[in-house]
Every structure is written in C-alpha cells, then in structure tokens.
Amino acid sequence: MEQYEPDRLSAARLAAVRRSFRNGRAALTRRSLLRASAAGVLAAGGAGALAGCGIPAAGTTRGGVPAQDHSQEEKTVNFSNWTEYMDVDESGRRHPTLEAFTRRTGIRVKYTEDINDNTEFFGKIKPQLAAGQDTGRDIVVLTDWLAARLIRLGWVQKLDPSNLPNAFTNLSAQFRNPDWDPGRAYSYPWQGISTVIAYNKKALDGVEVKTLSDLLDNAELKGRVGLLTEMRDTVGMTLLDMDKDPAKFTADDYDAAIARLQKAVDKGQIRRFTGNDYTADLTKGDFAACLAWAGDVVQLKADNPDIEFLIPDSGYMTSTDALLIPNKARHKTNAERLIDYYFEPRPAAELAAYINFVCPVDGVKDELAKIDEDAANNPLILPDQAMQAKSRAFRSLSSEEETAFEEKFAKLTGA
C-alpha cells in the first residue's frame, strides 16, 4: 500500500493544477457552461493539500479501515457530490430519485454539493483520512485518477458485494475492470466522461473530418482547431490516433505523442488549448473542429443544429467519476444500498435524463425512452456495443510519471 507523503508539488504538477482551475474541467461544474457557473477556486493552502497526488502504477491494494457500522440504528447516509450532478424537480430544490430511495428504504439522504474540484476536495478530507478519522461522509464522488490514489493509500473501504446485486449485474462492460480497481472491489462509477471530436458543420464548409490526424494536419483547418488542457484526454486521443493503447503506452510512446502535437502547434494548426470554454469557440465557429466532452456536446447539439460529433475508428477516451466509501464512514451498509439503487434501470434512467453524461448502467434504454426518447437513442449517453468497444482509458501513472508527463504537456500548451 502506498504511503502518504506530505511533500510539495513539483513545478510541473502545480502548473497542471493551476491550468485545470483556470480553464480545465475543474473550472466548471459537471453541467458545463450551459447550466452552471464557474467553480473550483483554489482554497487557501490548497497547493499544500495536493501533495502526493500522482497515481502509482497499478498493483496490489489493501482494504481501508472500517468503523462500527451504525446503519441499522441510524437510518441515514451522508452523500457528497459535485454541483449540478443530480436530478432535480422543477423547483430546483428537490431530488426525485433520492426522495424515492428514502420512501422505499426509510433511509434519509443528507445530500451535499460540496465538491467543486478533485484536488480542492482532497484538501478538505485529507487531514481526517490521514489521521484515521471519520470525514463525516459515507459516499463521495471523485474522478478516477484521485479515486485510484485514495484506494492505494488505503483510505476507502472495500465494498460488500452482497449489498450490491444490481451494481454487479447491471454495470456496463466498459467500466468493469479499471486497472486501478480491478473488478470494482472499492468503487463503482457514478457517470462516464467521454472525449470525442466535435465540429461545426457551417465552419467546416465541406472540409472532411474523420480522424484526429485531420485536425492536426489538414491545412484548410489551420488556426481553427481546439485541443483540451486535460493531459489525459488530449494525449490519450493522440496515442489512439497513432495506433497506441492509452492503457498500455510507454514513456517513448508518450514522447512521440507530444512530438506529434508539438508539430501541429509549431505550424499554427492549433488555435488554442481550452477547458470547457471550447463550447463558445465551437458554437461561434472560431473552432471548426475540436476535442470535446460528450456531456457538453449533447447540450450544444440541442441548441445548435450545426454542431455534430464523431468517434474516430481509432477509438475515444473515457474516464469516470467514481462512488467511494471513505474510511471510518458510520453508515457503510446504507451507503452500499444507495449505490446499488442507482444501478437499477429506473433511477439510472431518471439521472441520465437530467445530467446527460455517459450512463454506466446496462438495461436503461426502455426506461429512459419513457422519459426522453432522444436521450435514449443518443450514443453519447447510452453507447451501443460498437461504441463501447472503441472506448479506452488512460492508464494509471506513478508519481514520477505524473511529474514528467505534466511537465512536457505544460511546455506544449504554454502553461
């Protein structure tokens, strides 16, 4: 099990954090520019709290530290999530799926939207976890790279499969075996986050785009291409375009991908690297084509008929936001029952209809069609088997790799 070391971030990794806060996915809530306001302001002392956030290579993990489970006598569960990442009614104050869970089970959910950024939230809970204390939370939702870190530190509890029959049965195949949590012993995905190519048909004006190479090499798109400030997404898509597997690449492969991107930067092909703010560039036509997150594209297409997307034959990148039970959580069984509830088709469909990210639950199409037929037929929300087969994840990184890779990417993007 990896030991927690309260060292300071390297200059490269600190630059990556600042880049993410400034305009990466951390800069906005999970519902993007179209619904949400800016978030993720670096808290005082936040940089120190991010120490040791590099992800070690995949390896043997150990279970976390359980507490006495008070689920039987305390019918409650404390759930911390990202803002705008849960279904709400028309009043904007009630969460229908959570209320339905309470009616069925008698378990009251204390739902808190107190996660604006992975690293900022890590700074909140790190002192208690490092000291072996209860964080006051029974469930947290963290992006996979940080979920992997907590698992390897031994700071989350191993799940009891007997309390998760729906989760085990209905979890989509593409999310079953991440290298950082094989077989989902410690986590289950809340939602998937896919990286695709989006384009503005009007801005392309007949120029054909089928691959990332088209974006990087076609002179007709010079200065009208956008790439993402998230290293794993941009480099991962580039590796795929180069016929390399992001789940198995070497340091030499990474360097080759950076060189490939640098060539496009040097010749002025790339207008800029962006976070969620690419949505404005794409809508206006300043970007003819760009890398984009599927949840944004769903909303953009609804508002602008010129916006389309494509999945390259080489594949696309998918990450997840994961459900975890921290060490010393008082209501582990209640937490597992809530996790399992969201892997039932009906609640999963209601959630997918509202937030429009990749649903990690099989068998929800019929239920989703009753709510929103367009969403049920949207492969960005419910990927079919052919699309799932093209999904790839970025492998876990050691702390040394994280530092080296972010330094090279920062130099590429000018961060």
Side-chain angles (χ1 to χ4, degrees):
M1 182 172 64
E2 181 186 342
Q3 296 299 309
Y4 175 70
E5 296 289 344
D7 56 334
R8 295 186 63 81
L9 288 178
S10 69
R13 286 163 68 188
L14 184 56
V17 170
R18 287 171 176 160
R19 183 172 67 247
S20 182
F21 276 115
R22 184 169 65 249
N23 57 6
R25 208 165 66 211
L28 295 170
T29 65
R30 284 301 197 256
R31 288 290 287 170
S32 82
L33 285 170
L34 298 162
R35 285 184 57 86
S37 58
V41 178
L42 186 60
L50 307 180
C53 279
I55 304 304
T60 302
T61 61
R62 299 181 185 177
V65 181
Q68 181 179 352
D69 192 351
H70 296 273
S71 293
Q72 187 64 35
E73 66 270 21
E74 297 178 6
K75 295 296 185 180
T76 187
V77 62
N78 298 311
F79 185 0
S80 282
N81 203 351
W82 297 75
T83 54
E84 301 287 347
Y85 216 16
M86 178 66 73
D87 58 304
V88 298
D89 66 3
E90 292 183 359
S91 73
R93 295 188 297 271
R94 300 172 63 184
H95 303 292
T97 58
L98 290 176
E99 292 184 357
F101 173 79
T102 298
R103 287 194 299 271
R104 181 199 298 182
T105 65
I107 299 169
R108 181 179 61 86
V109 182
K110 182 182 178 183
Y111 183 72
T112 308
E113 295 182 333
D114 59 347
I115 305 177
N116 288 321
D117 173 75
N118 287 288
T119 47
E120 180 188 35
F121 186 72
F122 180 68
K124 291 181 182 179
I125 62 176
K126 171 183 66 71
Q128 294 100 319
L129 291 173
Q133 299 171 353
D134 181 11
T135 66
R137 299 166 176 88
D138 300 306
I139 304 176
V140 297
V141 179
L142 298 173
T143 304
D144 48 20
W145 63 266
L146 184 55
R149 173 71 177 185
L150 266 63
I151 290 170
R152 283 163 175 79
L153 285 168
W155 286 357
V156 296
Q157 297 187 53
K158 193 169 186 178
L159 301 171
D160 182 349
S162 68
N163 292 327
L164 297 158
N166 293 301
F168 179 81
T169 301
N170 297 332
L171 176 61
S172 296
Q174 73 180 108
F175 299 115
R176 282 193 177 271
N177 284 293
D179 69 347
W180 48 271
D181 187 16
R184 292 291 180 182
Y186 298 89
S187 70
Y188 269 91
W190 176 245
Q191 297 291 295
I193 305 166
S194 295
T195 304
V196 300
I197 293 176
Y199 60 91
N200 185 313
K201 290 185 293 185
K202 185 176 181 180
L204 279 180
D205 194 25
V207 176
E208 187 176 59
V209 169
K210 291 185 176 180
T211 68
L212 185 64
S213 288
D214 292 331
L215 273 64
L216 300 179
D217 297 330
N218 191 329
E220 293 183 85
L221 299 180
K222 183 177 180 179
R224 299 192 294 141
V225 171
L227 300 180
L228 293 168
T229 55
E230 295 293 337
M231 179 270 285
R232 287 168 174 80
D233 294 324
T234 291
V235 175
M237 291 292 283
T238 305
L239 286 166
L240 286 170
D241 190 67
M242 299 170 66
D243 200 27
K244 300 292 183 179
D245 187 348
K248 300 177 181 178
F249 70 91
T250 66
D252 287 343
D253 294 334
Y254 184 90
D255 288 345
I258 291 293
R260 175 89 173 86
L261 292 165
Q262 187 67 60
K263 182 179 178 182
V265 169
D266 291 345
K267 67 183 180 182
Q269 192 76 6
I270 311 305
R271 184 180 183 92
R272 65 190 185 106
F273 291 81
T274 73
N276 282 89
D277 45 333
Y278 69 80
T279 56
D281 293 277
L282 186 62
T283 299
K284 291 187 296 183
D286 291 340
F287 285 164
C290 64
L291 294 183
W293 291 306
D296 294 331
V297 177
V298 171
Q299 297 297 317
L300 290 172
K301 280 174 56 65
D303 295 333
N304 186 335
D306 290 325
I307 304 302
E308 288 291 348
F309 75 96
L310 65 91
I311 304 296
D313 289 340
S314 58
Y316 67 102
M317 297 301 298
T318 298
S319 58
T320 61
D321 286 326
L323 296 150
L324 304 160
I325 300 177
N327 283 358
K328 298 292 186 176
R330 287 178 61 87
H331 312 107
K332 181 174 184 286
T333 298
N334 291 346
E336 289 167 338
R337 292 183 68 183
L338 182 58
I339 292 171
D340 195 60
Y341 167 75
Y342 278 105
F343 280 84
E344 296 178 19
R346 180 65 185 183
E350 291 179 11
L351 184 65
Y354 182 77
I355 63 178
N356 293 159
F357 278 77
V358 180
C359 180
V361 183
D362 280 342
V364 304
K365 187 168 185 176
D366 289 344
E367 290 292 343
L368 185 53
K370 298 174 185 177
I371 304 168
D372 186 336
E373 190 169 353
D374 288 340
N377 293 314
N378 191 328
L380 296 180
I381 299 174
L382 296 182
D384 58 22
Q385 289 187 351
M387 184 169 169
Q388 288 185 30
K390 293 183 178 182
S391 172
R392 297 292 182 270
F394 203 88
R395 71 169 174 82
S396 297
L397 301 179
S398 68
S399 295
E400 292 76 14
E401 286 177 321
E402 181 84 14
T403 298
F405 291 174
E406 284 289 5
E407 183 176 74
K408 292 172 183 178
F409 191 68
K411 183 177 179 181
L412 169 75
T413 62

